[in-house]
Amino acid sequence: MELLLAITVGALYAAGFYMILRRSLVKVIIGLALLGHAAHLFLFTVGGLTRGSAPLLTGETAGRVESYADPLPQALILTAIVIGFGVQAFALVLFKRVYQTIGTDDLDQLKATDTGS
Amino acid sequence: MSSLVLSTATRYLLPVLLMFSVFLLIRGHNEPGGGFVGGLTAAAAFALFAIASGVERARQMLWFHPRTLLGTGLLFAAGAGLLAVTAGSPYMTGLWTSFEMPAVGKLGTPLVFDVGVYLVVVGMVLMIVLELAEE
Amino acid sequence: MHLIVLLPILIPLFTAAACLLLWKQPALQRVLSVTGAVAILVAGLRLLSTAAQGEIISVQLGNWPAPFGITVVADLLSSIMVAIVGMIGLAVAVYALFGIDRRRQSFGFHAFLHALLMGVCGAFLTGDLFNLYVWFEVMLIASFVLVALGGEKTQLEGAIKYVTLNLISSALFLAAVGVLYSTVGTLNMADLARSLSSADVRSVLSVAGGILLIAFGIKAAVFPLFFWLPASYHTPPAAISAVMAGLLTKVGVYAMLRIFSLLFAYDFAYVQPVFLAVAGATMVTGVLGAAAQTGFRRILSFHIISQIGYMIMGLAIFTPLALAGTVFYLVHNILAKTSLFLVAGIAQRFTGSDELRHLGGLYRERLWLTILFLVPALSLAGIPPLSGFWAKFALIRASMEAGHYLLIVVAFSVGLLTLYSMTKIWGEAFWKEKPAERPVPDKLDAREIRWMVLPSLALAAMSIILGVGAEPFFLLAYATAEQLLNPNQYINAVLGDT
């Protein structure tokens, strides 16, 4: 399972960076989203995969470490997803505004701030 | 773009979805659920209404501007933490009453916090969705 | 009592929420915004006065004990930074009363300014690595909106670059958090520091350190990760670029200082060559980039980068004197930079342009503005007795003691080139005859000018005080450096004596 997830994480990172390097604004934002997912899944994988155990132990399993699943990575990912959702939604609004104001979604056209004109 | 099927369905779906969102919010007190997912459900319900009947109608039906919901939610969430300070505990400590409400369980400041989260999420999502839907 | 640590986060939170609720009453929002900023300053100074006695206050949110819950800690470094945030917040809030047009003010400028201040204060005060990520994002969302606020063409273009690179930085930060959590099993910084120094998983940790270095490097705009900064900082109105130039990159520097002095101090020799190289390259590229620019705020934007290089230099040398120099430099630079951006904003209002070729004749027309420019500009270049001199002096002396002679040469020449840039602005904007063609400037009445000048006057005065009466401030910076180099005090304050 770790191997599969590791490959997925790698693929997501690769796809994310590839998309960010594209010239189209829409593809950039898809790339940013993929990069976020890659980071979340990475956190999930390295946080340790425990199958069939619960984070809250009661009854006879109480106090036994081997049957304990760490819930913290999931909590962290959940928070990160919520934040990522907010940030990406903002970015989407921004990118839409850019498209409306400047009239292009080609990043190569957006160089007014670098040439100083 | 108006679809009779969608607008008729929305008329019945909207109250159900909103009720479900409140159910999720209250249930989140002790069980899976909570302010965030409840807020998302409510926002999705309003977004559905906006798609079916237009953004203008949705804004009218909301009563409040989404940013007002956002501000109120922030005040609720941060204020819930402050209640603990007045009781002498560190910020954000949960204070519980002994009063058991049916279907909700014990009442406490975490519920106030969750209501705040609910409002923030509804406000924030609707701000963005309505902004994107307006052409 | 412990609420004092949280006040710098809660005050802007409530101010921002209240501004959202009072959306339709811009007049009330203005009053609230300034009042809130005053309150942050008071809370920050109060926190600093406690921390200056050598006490580290920590609060466990929700009363969950330390390594499990979220910790908020105020040591000397955090308190100094929070007090400075209060000053900059107040200066910008006052400047914005007339420096930001009514349209932007009615689109929530004040709410987002305070959201930004909340994020910055949160990042300075948190004692938890994941929480630091959260505050970074809060800061980021607020600054996105501020950069794009008003929706002018160049602003939106700048915002795209800013948003994209900062989101990449956040994703990297999150990955590093994952690596650290998987190897050590905690994210509380004090707990991490304690476990890392005894852990034998150095290779994995170097990976985490490397990723964090890149993530914070993007935030702090160090070489070669700074490209978003000169592309975006000059685009929004002066008040917005002033608060961003003053505070945001410094949060990246703060994070580096905190993480590398607390978590990776045991193995600092491993990263030291990287830091030394980055510091030198950042200083040189920043100042050379500035030499090629012709816009007032564009020059200043590039100088932010070269100044960041000096701060990294102190961290790279990693002796008490060097770290004290970095802390002093942070304070000096935040004041001087914000002040310069505000002056650039006033100059733009008088002449209607930010381009040096349109400026000119300001010395004859507005002598006082010239003086307001000269103080922070000379301070930035490191002319005694202003604050920049002492900051540079400490850093150069520290690198002399540590034997990094090449870095001294770099630091000196970059100082000279900074002076060259400032002379260029001086000659073009102030000394040169008024150009024949110039865009039509805004009409300003005396009251508006007074309110816009007041904050930069106060900041310039602070820069002089910090320079002429440097001794107590420098001793404070030195105490901060010693606290940073002895993490045990921090660890004990958070985890309790164990």
Side-chain angles (χ1 to χ4, degrees), chain C residues 49-98:
Chain C
S49 73
T50 321
Q53 288 152 17
E55 197 183 336
I56 298 181
I57 321 172
S58 73
V59 177
Q60 320 298 339
L61 289 189
N63 219 1
W64 302 106
F68 309 110
I70 292 171
T71 311
V72 177
V73 202
D75 67 343
L76 258 175
L77 180 60
S78 304
S79 315
I80 291 175
M81 297 312 285
V82 167
I84 290 290
V85 172
M87 269 175 222
I88 300 303
L90 182 57
V92 171
V94 171
Y95 179 89
L97 294 178
F98 296 101

Side-chain angles (χ1 to χ4, degrees), chain B residues 67-68 75 78 90-93, chain C residues 6 10 13-14 21 23 60 62:
Chain B
R67 66 173 168 259
T68 314
L75 286 183
Y91 185 69
M92 284 284 176
T93 309
Chain C
L6 289 165
L10 289 177
L13 171 63
F14 280 108
L21 292 178
W23 194 267
Q60 320 298 339

Side-chain angles (χ1 to χ4, degrees), chain C residues 8-354:
Chain C
I9 303 173
L10 289 177
I11 294 168
L13 171 63
F14 280 108
T15 315
C19 285
L20 279 177
L21 292 178
L22 296 170
W23 194 267
K24 292 272 156 63
Q25 278 103 347
L28 261 177
Q29 278 190 43
R30 280 199 287 277
V31 175
L32 257 176
S33 176
V34 174
T35 323
V38 171
I40 302 172
L41 178 59
V42 171
L45 289 175
R46 175 78 182 67
L47 198 60
L48 183 58
S49 73
T50 321
Q53 288 152 17
E55 197 183 336
I56 298 181
I57 321 172
S58 73
V59 177
Q60 320 298 339
L61 289 189
N63 219 1
W64 302 106
F68 309 110
I70 292 171
T71 311
V72 177
V73 202
D75 67 343
L76 258 175
L77 180 60
S78 304
S79 315
I80 291 175
M81 297 312 285
V82 167
I84 290 290
V85 172
M87 269 175 222
I88 300 303
L90 182 57
V92 171
V94 171
Y95 179 89
L97 294 178
F98 296 101
I100 294 274
D101 53 277
R102 290 295 143 112
R103 194 171 61 91
R104 284 194 174 89
Q105 287 199 28
S106 69
F107 273 107
F109 166 79
H110 296 289
F112 289 110
L113 173 68
H114 280 271
L116 182 70
L117 294 179
M118 170 176 77
V120 174
C121 285
F124 287 147
L125 286 171
T126 183
D128 184 280
L129 203 57
F130 188 76
N131 209 228
L132 183 63
Y133 165 79
V134 174
W135 288 122
F136 268 11
E137 297 298 282
V138 170
M139 219 164 72
L140 209 57
I141 294 184
S143 56
F144 286 178
V145 180
L146 284 178
V147 173
L149 196 69
E152 279 168 29
K153 210 176 144 194
T154 51
Q155 269 186 289
L156 291 171
E157 277 190 32
I160 289 267
K161 292 158 193 174
Y162 179 76
V163 166
T164 310
L165 280 163
N166 276 290
L167 277 177
I168 296 173
S169 153
S170 302
L172 289 174
F173 188 4
L174 197 59
V177 166
V179 174
L180 276 176
Y181 184 75
S182 71
T183 40
V184 194
T186 179
L187 287 175
N188 184 296
M189 290 202 253
D191 203 24
L192 270 173
R194 202 165 58 176
S195 319
L196 286 187
S197 52
S198 57
D200 52 351
V201 276
R202 298 274 158 91
S203 53
V204 185
L205 293 179
S206 326
V207 173
I211 304 176
L212 282 177
L213 183 59
I214 295 173
F216 295 151
I218 295 179
K219 300 268 177 209
V222 302
F223 177 85
L225 308 163
F226 60 76
F227 294 98
W228 57 272
L229 193 148
S232 61
Y233 268 21
H234 64 285
T235 57
I240 296 173
S241 54
V243 69
M244 291 176 52
L247 295 176
L248 291 192
T249 47
K250 277 62 174 192
V251 181
V253 176
Y254 164 85
M256 281 195 194
L257 260 179
R258 174 68 77 207
I259 298 298
F260 284 93
S261 72
L262 191 62
L263 304 190
F264 297 102
Y266 66 90
D267 205 14
F268 197 79
Y270 184 78
V271 281
Q272 194 168 28
V274 181
F275 271 121
L276 286 170
V278 162
T282 308
M283 283 192 262
V284 172
T285 41
V287 87
L288 289 183
Q293 299 302 321
T294 55
F296 198 151
R297 276 192 282 157
R298 283 180 67 87
I299 295 180
L300 294 179
S301 297
F302 269 100
H303 273 293
I304 296 177
I305 300 166
S306 81
Q307 307 291 323
I308 293 290
Y310 281 101
M311 296 169 208
I312 304 298
M313 172 178 162
L315 176 60
I317 299 167
F318 210 64
T319 58
L321 184 61
L323 284 181
T326 296
V327 173
F328 198 84
Y329 213 110
L330 269 170
V331 174
H332 138 73
N333 193 245
I334 291 175
L335 293 172
K337 206 88 232 179
T338 312
S339 177
L340 277 175
F341 267 87
L342 293 182
V343 169
I346 300 173
Q348 187 172 8
R349 292 292 290 270
F350 280 142
T351 60
S353 172
D354 192 46

Side-chain angles (χ1 to χ4, degrees), chain A residues 13 25 28 32 39-40 42-43 46 70 72-73 76 79-80 83 87 90 94-95 98 101-102 110-114 116, chain C residues 130 134 137 141 144-145 148 153-154 156-161 163 167 171 174-175 178-179 181-182 187 231 234-235 298:
Chain A
Y13 267 117
L25 280 177
V28 169
L32 288 173
H40 300 156
F42 176 71
L43 190 56
V46 297
D70 187 2
L72 197 68
L76 297 182
T79 316
I83 295 171
V87 177
F90 258 115
L94 175 70
F95 281 39
V98 170
T101 316
I102 302 175
L110 304 181
K111 47 190 178 198
T113 61
D114 294 321
Chain C
F130 188 76
V134 174
E137 297 298 282
I141 294 184
F144 286 178
V145 180
K153 210 176 144 194
T154 51
L156 291 171
E157 277 190 32
I160 289 267
K161 292 158 193 174
V163 166
L167 277 177
L174 197 59
V179 174
Y181 184 75
S182 71
L187 287 175
H234 64 285
T235 57
R298 283 180 67 87

Side-chain angles (χ1 to χ4, degrees), chain B residues 37 60 103 108:
Chain B
V37 64
Q60 281 167 13

Side-chain angles (χ1 to χ4, degrees), chain B residues 99-111:
Chain B
F99 176 68
E100 289 258 357
M101 213 165 101
V104 180
K106 270 193 199 161
L107 291 181
T109 50
L111 185 63

